[in-house]
Amino acid sequence: MKAVILISGNGSNLQSIIDNADRIDLQISCVISNNKNAFGLKRAESSKIQTYIIEPELFNSKEAFDRELISIINQDGAELIVLAGYMRVLTPVFISNYFGKILNIHPSLLPKFPGLNTHQKAIDASEKIHGASVHFVTDKLDDGPIICQESVTIEAIDTAKTLSDKVLKKEHIIFPKVIHWYTQRRLKLINNITATLDGKIL
Ligand code: GAR
């Protein structure tokens, strides 16, 4: 199955998807970044994957930016949009175009800690357990039916950085796994609100 991957930064999740692409039946049509300095662009280029940079400053609205995104994605006939550390909020224009076809990974056990700085927020809240979630994207930030979560234990010595490293290791396992469910057409979003795997509600 063809997919487009959207990134904004380091791209370690992108790398784990590239490394697993054959095994999970994924063809990466292109990688698109809203940040021209994203290291993930270099990772894509090293794997001979087409890259695009869309610079937000060149657009006078979020909708105009997203329409450009849509026009690039539609060139390639991708059936899946993967948000791998994509740090821009998508507009309803974008989401309605690809409803049920957008997967996001978020570094917390949603619905806890949407938004930014999730690791520090978990430490500050004296959480004992933290983790990562993969979910279908709906029109609210870091919201949408949860597909898969993996947890890590927060130790007294953990900092936001050590916690981030632990959570990323889990992300690199669960994201390719969920994408594989999708490419096998086992994972679906039904009635716009319910994620199912093999017809069973997740
Ligand atoms: C990951 O931890 C991902 O879960 C998070 O950004 C990081 C990107 O790392 N995404 C979000 O916070 C989305 N709300 P990476 O660029 O090394 O894959």
Side-chain angles (χ1 to χ4, degrees):
M1 182 184 290
K2 278 191 181 181
V4 168
I5 305 194
L6 307 191
I7 61 162
S8 300
N10 180 34
S12 69
N13 276 288
L14 167 66
Q15 190 66 56
S16 84
I17 297 165
I18 293 172
D19 295 344
N20 284 285
D22 287 347
R23 185 181 64 78
I24 64 175
D25 305 319
L26 194 75
Q27 264 176 276
I28 304 171
S29 316
C30 66
V31 168
I32 308 176
S33 176
N34 62 317
N35 167 14
K36 61 178 186 302
N37 299 315
F39 183 66
L41 288 166
K42 297 213 163 48
R43 297 180 189 268
E45 285 156 15
S46 306
S47 295
K48 312 256 180 302
I49 297 167
Q50 167 88 57
T51 60
Y52 296 91
I53 298 162
I54 312 182
E55 298 193 67
E57 310 79 73
L58 302 181
F59 297 86
N60 55 18
S61 70
K62 290 190 168 63
E63 287 73 20
F65 179 96
D66 276 3
R67 274 194 287 274
E68 175 68 9
L69 204 50
I70 291 168
S71 76
I72 294 175
I73 291 171
N74 287 353
Q75 286 168 17
D76 281 310
E79 288 182 73
L80 172 65
I81 321 292
V82 177
L83 309 184
Y86 184 66
M87 304 307 282
R88 258 181 92 85
V89 177
L90 293 163
T91 60
V93 170
F94 186 92
I95 292 168
S96 59
N97 244 273
Y98 304 109
F99 210 81
K101 297 181 177 178
I102 313 170
L103 296 175
N104 182 44
I105 190 149
H106 181 76
S108 77
L109 295 174
L110 291 169
K112 283 188 175 170
F113 313 123
L116 300 174
N117 304 320
T118 58
H119 309 301
Q120 192 57 51
K121 284 178 189 162
I123 291 170
D124 293 347
S126 306
E127 296 286 330
K128 298 277 173 276
I129 303 284
H130 183 48
S133 308
V134 181
H135 64 95
F136 279 113
V137 173
T138 61
D139 50 9
K140 287 200 207 106
L141 178 70
D142 298 324
D143 189 30
I146 292 167
I147 300 161
C148 184
Q149 293 184 310
E150 189 71 54
S151 55
V152 301
T153 309
I154 303 184
E155 310 292 343
I157 53 159
D158 270 320
T159 61
K161 171 76 178 86
T162 62
L163 204 47
S164 162
D165 292 344
K166 285 201 268 191
V167 170
L168 275 170
K169 277 196 187 128
K170 300 290 186 185
E171 294 187 27
H172 301 158
I173 296 167
I174 61 173
F175 213 8
K177 180 172 83 173
V178 170
I179 293 169
H180 197 196
W181 289 342
Y182 195 90
T183 65
Q184 291 173 308
R185 302 186 193 280
R186 296 169 59 198
L187 175 65
K188 299 215 162 16
L189 181 64
I190 56 164
N191 304 330
N192 293 347
I193 46 161
T194 309
T196 63
L197 180 65
D198 299 331
K200 296 197 187 82
I201 295 172
L202 287 167

